[in-house]
Amino acid sequence: MTSELLLEEGDRLSRRLMQLLPVTLEDQERVILLGRSLAVNLVNALLPTIEQISRRQDTPLHTLLESDREGNAVIEIVNFDGELLSRLPVRDCLEQLLFQRGKLHPKVLESLTDALQGDEHRATRELVSLLRSRSLLEGLQGVLKNFLKAAR
């Protein structure tokens, strides 16, 4: 179920990307793949990182990917006793990581545009480059700080 939730979030992200990127009919499948890949990779990197950082701070927390009432993916942080400490919709998390004031972050826009202009190998390289980019890593750091602060 958790992978289905992330794929749905990736599909939502893909629909938004199709409105923001120079996409042709032939590019639509690739945009769906890119949106899904971003959602899955970013959330799957975030969840264990939160747990690892909290263990190092001697306050172990556990992360869960759950569904809210509307069926949207939500990241939950619980303490050792199972008490819910914080919730963040995956959609909001992706928004914080990929967008600035409603527009794609310049590095994200550049990488995704480049990913659409070449073969599948180029798309893969651009996606990996984006996931390792300074802007995305700084965004992840900000999300982590806010999430851990809210969980205290």
Side-chain angles (χ1 to χ4, degrees), residues 1-12 40 65 71 73:
M1 174 162 132
T2 58
S3 60
E4 291 173 13
L5 288 172
L6 288 180
L7 291 178
E8 288 174 18
E9 290 300 331
D11 288 344
R12 282 187 191 97
V40 168
L65 184 64

Side-chain angles (χ1 to χ4, degrees), residues 72-83:
N72 300 311
V74 177
I75 299 170
E76 294 182 344
I77 295 182
V78 296
N79 65 12
F80 189 72
D81 297 325
E83 176 187 1

Side-chain angles (χ1 to χ4, degrees), residues 48-62 144 148 152:
T49 304
I50 290 171
E51 292 184 6
Q52 195 173 39
I53 290 171
S54 69
R55 274 193 303 273
R56 287 185 182 161
Q57 295 177 343
D58 292 327
T59 55
L61 301 172
H62 184 62
L144 284 167
L148 291 168
R152 299 278 181 253

Side-chain angles (χ1 to χ4, degrees), residues 17-79:
L17 292 175
M18 283 187 210
Q19 297 171 352
L20 300 171
L21 295 170
V23 178
T24 65
L25 284 174
E26 296 87 35
D27 296 330
Q28 288 183 357
E29 285 186 37
R30 186 172 290 179
V31 173
I32 292 169
L33 180 62
L34 291 169
R36 286 178 168 186
S37 295
L38 284 169
V40 168
N41 282 297
L42 290 171
V43 172
N44 283 334
L46 183 62
L47 297 177
T49 304
I50 290 171
E51 292 184 6
Q52 195 173 39
I53 290 171
S54 69
R55 274 193 303 273
R56 287 185 182 161
Q57 295 177 343
D58 292 327
T59 55
L61 301 172
H62 184 62
T63 57
L64 305 166
L65 184 64
E66 297 293 335
S67 175
D68 65 10
R69 291 184 185 139
E70 291 81 35
N72 300 311
V74 177
I75 299 170
E76 294 182 344
I77 295 182
V78 296
N79 65 12

Side-chain angles (χ1 to χ4, degrees), residues 57-111:
Q57 295 177 343
D58 292 327
T59 55
L61 301 172
H62 184 62
T63 57
L64 305 166
L65 184 64
E66 297 293 335
S67 175
D68 65 10
R69 291 184 185 139
E70 291 81 35
N72 300 311
V74 177
I75 299 170
E76 294 182 344
I77 295 182
V78 296
N79 65 12
F80 189 72
D81 297 325
E83 176 187 1
L84 178 63
L85 301 176
S86 183
R87 294 181 71 156
L88 177 67
V90 169
R91 185 177 304 155
D92 293 351
C93 180
L94 295 174
E95 178 77 26
Q96 291 175 29
L97 292 171
L98 302 171
F99 295 86
Q100 286 182 329
R101 296 179 288 283
K103 294 182 180 182
L104 281 171
H105 186 283
K107 173 60 180 163
V108 175
L109 177 60
E110 176 188 336
S111 292

